[in-house]
């Protein structure tokens, strides 16, 4: 019997060490214990993955949580699950299709009409490396959902966020932004051969540029905005990448994925941290890699590019340059 003890002890130490190493690489749990009783939170794309876990974490901390999703069946199921797990009954499911400017305007109008305040907006929803699809308004899907949809939504809710200050906006970007470039001559991939990876990288670079310019415009309002890379997570977001499509890749890359890829729960910790941490009050216009502030790619800090992208985005979604057009608005330009 004793001859098995040493190998078992070594195996246990190795497994324990591997788990600790994985958690260290993944970035760990949100260090803040702050609660948000009575604060209204909107999380887009909250029916699954990082968004669902972020909503769960913030519901545990006492927030009034609005899950904003395209698939209402999944959204209702997620809201019910979160209510049951947290015993917080202020968790509701609302319809929002970020691939439709009409849906975004209808959602914003409902929020403005029915919610007294909005304290935290988590722009989490995303599309990753999909085929060459377009939104209902004709935008390339990744640029349209990941950037333009959240750009319009955020602008339409700015007055509500300002009236609720101190309030926070959290934009989910990606480390992939470092490979991105904003092509102002062909933002929607109408002239070039479509490259789904490059389109994704452009969309995530746009998110940081939007964050930087919005932060500049919000100075002195009590509203902060920051962007983050949550890490690579095991979620439905990567369903178009083909990473797990073959037995060979699953076998050979499985140990690497296990070490480097986060669970949705761990990947939701940076969003939670940026939403609640008291030490981040007043911090704005920053980029976080996990729980740590870092410098983004040089193009992400180019003020001229950020301002030009803002103007072009406003034109595309139908915002007035001097401010924000009415929420319900007239038919929008394509």
């Amino acid at each position: 019997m004793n001859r098995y003890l040493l190998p078992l002890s070594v195996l246990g130490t190795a497994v324990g060490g591997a788990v600790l190493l994985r958690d260290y690489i993944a970035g760990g749990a949100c260090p803040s214990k702050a609660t948000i009783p009575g604060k209204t939170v909107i999380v887009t794309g909250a029916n699954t993955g990082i968004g669902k876990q972020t909503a769960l974490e913030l519901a545990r901390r006492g927030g009034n949580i609005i899950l904003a999703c395209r698939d209402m069946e999944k959204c209702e199921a997620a809201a019910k699950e979160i209510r049951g797990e947290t015993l917080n009954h202020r968790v509701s499911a609302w319809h929002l299709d970020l691939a439709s400017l009409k849906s975004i305007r209808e959602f914003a109008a409902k929020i403005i009409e029915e919610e007294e305040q909005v304290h935290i907006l988590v722009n989490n929803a995303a599309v990753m490396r999909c085929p060459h699809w377009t939104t209902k308004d004709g935008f390339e899907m990744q640029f349209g959902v990941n950037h333009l949809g959240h750009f319009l939504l955020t602008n339409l809710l700015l007055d509500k966020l300002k009236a609720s200050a101190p309030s926070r906006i959290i934009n989910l970007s990606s480390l992939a932004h470092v490979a991105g470039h904003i092509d102002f001559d062909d933002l929607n991939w109408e002239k070039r051969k479509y490259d789904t990876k490059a389109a994704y990288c452009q969309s995530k670079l746009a998110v940081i540029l939007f964050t930087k310019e919005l932060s500049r415009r919000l100075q002195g309002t009590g509203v902060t905005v920051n962007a983050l890379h949550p890490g690579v997570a095991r979620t439905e977001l990567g369903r178009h990448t083909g990473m797990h499509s073959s037995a060979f890749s699953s076998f050979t890359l499985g140990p690497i994925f296990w070490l480097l890829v986060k669970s949705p729960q761990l990947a939701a910790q940076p969003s939670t941290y940026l939403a609640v941490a008291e030490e981040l009050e007043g911090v704005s216009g920053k980029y976080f890699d996990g729980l740590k502030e870092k410098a983004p790619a040089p193009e992400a800090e180019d003020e001229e590019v950020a301002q030009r992208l803002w103007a072009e985005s406003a034109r595309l979604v139908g915002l007035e340059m001097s401010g924000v057009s009415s929420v319900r608005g007239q038919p929008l330009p394509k």
Side-chain angles (χ1 to χ4, degrees):
M1 182 67 180
N2 289 339
R3 69 184 183 205
Y4 296 114
L5 291 178
L6 182 59
L8 285 173
S9 175
V10 171
L11 177 62
T13 300
V15 170
V19 171
L20 288 173
L21 177 61
R22 183 184 65 171
D23 288 349
Y24 173 77
I25 292 173
C30 171
S32 174
K33 305 301 181 186
T35 57
I36 51 170
K39 291 194 174 183
T40 297
V41 181
I42 299 172
V43 184
T44 68
N47 63 305
T48 188
I50 297 173
K52 180 181 176 183
Q53 287 298 320
T54 301
L56 177 69
E57 292 281 349
L58 297 176
R60 280 199 181 112
R61 294 170 187 255
N64 166 35
I65 313 298
I66 295 171
L67 279 59
C69 314
R70 180 179 57 84
D71 187 326
M72 282 306 292
E73 185 177 345
K74 290 183 178 180
C75 194
E76 292 281 8
K80 181 179 180 181
E81 183 181 333
I82 293 171
R83 287 194 297 267
E85 189 164 336
T86 64
L87 301 181
N88 179 349
H89 297 289
R90 297 179 306 279
V91 179
S92 55
W94 291 38
H95 181 259
L96 171 64
D97 183 357
L98 286 160
S100 164
L101 299 182
K102 180 175 181 288
S103 175
I104 295 167
R105 288 180 175 272
E106 289 173 349
F107 174 85
K110 186 179 178 185
I111 289 288
I112 291 167
E113 185 177 339
E114 298 184 15
E115 296 297 323
E116 290 186 18
Q117 295 182 305
V118 175
H119 302 94
I120 300 168
L121 172 60
V122 184
N123 289 322
N124 164 84
V127 181
M128 180 181 181
R129 295 179 68 174
C130 60
H132 194 185
W133 296 337
T134 57
T135 69
K136 293 176 182 177
D137 303 279
F139 306 129
E140 186 274 319
M141 184 65 73
Q142 296 181 91
F143 187 70
V145 170
N146 300 353
H147 170 59
L148 291 178
H150 285 128
F151 174 87
L152 177 60
L153 175 65
T154 303
N155 272 285
L156 294 177
L157 295 178
L158 276 185
D159 285 345
K160 182 69 75 172
L161 286 156
K162 290 175 183 177
S164 310
S167 51
R168 303 184 184 190
I169 302 164
I170 296 99
N171 294 328
L172 270 73
S173 180
S174 168
L175 183 60
H177 84 274
V178 301
H181 172 67
I182 305 298
D183 187 339
F184 287 104
D185 292 327
D186 193 20
L187 286 172
N188 284 295
W189 293 85
E190 296 165 322
K191 304 173 184 176
R192 297 168 287 166
K193 181 181 178 182
Y194 188 64
D195 183 333
T196 186
K197 181 180 178 181
Y200 178 73
C201 294
Q202 175 185 249
S203 75
K204 290 301 185 177
L205 173 59
V207 169
I208 302 179
L209 288 163
F210 166 50
T211 300
K212 295 283 186 178
E213 177 62 12
L214 180 58
S215 176
R216 187 184 70 81
R217 291 169 177 248
L218 288 174
Q219 288 177 14
T221 65
V223 183
T224 61
V225 55
N226 292 290
L228 67 91
H229 166 55
V232 181
R234 292 188 295 275
T235 69
E236 293 179 10
L237 182 62
R239 59 187 174 276
H240 300 296
T241 63
M243 283 191 297
H244 308 289
S245 58
S246 72
F248 176 77
S249 65
S250 295
F251 176 77
T252 56
L253 300 178
I256 298 173
F257 284 142
W258 181 85
L259 186 63
L260 299 179
V261 178
K262 298 182 179 184
S263 66
Q265 181 182 7
L266 267 179
Q269 299 307 304
S271 299
T272 304
Y273 178 59
L274 265 63
V276 305
E278 293 169 344
E279 60 267 31
L280 295 181
E281 182 148 352
V283 174
S284 190
K286 304 301 183 183
Y287 170 72
F288 286 76
D289 185 343
L291 300 171
K292 296 181 179 179
E293 181 188 333
K294 288 192 176 179
E299 189 172 344
E301 300 198 273
D302 189 317
E303 292 184 8
E304 288 187 12
V305 173
Q307 290 171 17
R308 185 179 176 187
L309 178 64
W310 182 286
E312 185 62 15
S313 300
R315 184 188 70 79
L316 288 170
V317 303
L319 285 181
E320 295 175 356
M321 292 306 294
S322 58
V324 179
S325 57
S326 67
V327 174
R328 295 195 185 276
Q330 298 300 316
L332 295 165
K334 290 183 73 174

